[in-house]
Amino acid sequence: MRKVMTITDGNLAVSDVNGNILFKVKGSFFTLHDKRVLLDAAGNPLLSMHQKMLSAHRRWEVYRGESSDLLFSVKKSSMLQVRTSLDVFHASNTSEDVCDFKIKGSWFERSCIVYLGDSTNIVAQMHKKHSVQSIVLGKDTFMVTVYPHVDHAFIVALIVILNEINEDRNDMD
């Protein structure tokens, strides 16, 4: 299923190809703990994403709704990267020997692929959509293809975290 994501001034909305809003992301910027909340179309919190302070690999933790029920975490695969590579671990994967999902891509090109574990099995893909709106209004619009049986909120959360990690390139990792 194809989704359209639009990021404007740090706000994010996800709509289907007909323009119906599916998800929104609200954020707490300029706080001690960066936090983003993924909302459904009615404004109900589905996931909250928190950047873990003082982590070596830019770790983010994702919780159910606004609870303390940890679902998964995301971190850079390595400290120094030319192309973006993130590892995703389910909360139950405490050893973190092998990632449950991997994100590979180029934020400069605004594209990425989400893989199942450390395999070649693709679960989602994103690329920048070039349009008059993106050029004239400065709105970044992305096309996201989510494969069958994959949670759309999960993929949106991964792309939000990918965006946050890449927006912070000026900061020390």
Side-chain angles (χ1 to χ4, degrees):
M1 178 176 273
R2 289 174 114 26
K3 304 285 178 232
V4 178
M5 297 178 65
T6 305
I7 300 176
T8 312
D9 300 327
N11 295 317
L12 181 127
V14 180
S15 58
D16 61 19
V17 292
N18 298 318
N20 301 312
I21 299 289
L22 303 173
F23 303 104
K24 296 177 193 170
V25 177
K26 70 176 185 178
S28 301
F29 301 95
F30 311 115
T31 62
L32 183 60
H33 301 286
D34 276 348
K35 176 183 173 187
R36 308 289 177 270
V37 179
L38 179 64
L39 309 168
D40 65 13
N44 300 309
L46 300 174
L47 300 171
S48 57
M49 299 158 269
H50 303 259
Q51 182 178 355
K52 192 166 181 177
M53 295 292 130
L54 304 173
S55 70
H57 290 270
R58 309 273 311 150
R59 182 179 291 267
W60 282 73
E61 294 178 333
V62 181
Y63 299 87
R64 183 181 319 278
E66 293 191 275
S67 74
S68 59
D69 182 14
L70 180 66
L71 297 174
F72 62 93
S73 64
V74 180
K75 71 178 185 83
K76 283 178 133 184
S77 301
S78 65
M79 296 286 280
L80 299 172
Q81 298 183 349
V82 175
R83 293 182 63 81
T84 301
S85 181
L86 304 177
D87 292 337
V88 181
F89 301 98
H90 288 295
S92 60
N93 183 352
T94 54
S95 68
E96 296 188 357
D97 291 333
V98 178
C99 62
D100 296 296
F101 295 89
K102 185 173 277 287
I103 305 166
K104 292 182 180 178
S106 166
W107 194 248
F108 178 73
E109 296 168 9
R110 298 296 201 262
S111 66
C112 74
I113 299 175
V114 180
Y115 297 94
L116 180 62
D118 217 351
S119 73
T120 58
N121 297 330
I122 298 172
V123 297
Q125 297 182 67
M126 177 195 79
H127 66 274
K128 185 170 183 176
K129 180 181 175 187
H130 297 283
S131 67
V132 172
Q133 185 181 30
S134 68
I135 296 166
V136 175
L137 300 177
K139 290 184 176 184
D140 283 340
T141 303
F142 305 91
M143 293 299 296
V144 180
T145 303
V146 180
Y147 286 59
H149 313 293
V150 177
D151 186 300
H152 295 163
F154 171 69
I155 298 301
V156 172
L158 293 180
I159 292 172
V160 168
I161 292 168
L162 175 68
N163 179 54
E164 293 302 323
I165 286 174
N166 284 288
E167 287 292 315
D168 295 347
R169 289 208 183 260
N170 295 336
D171 295 348
M172 294 299 291
D173 283 335

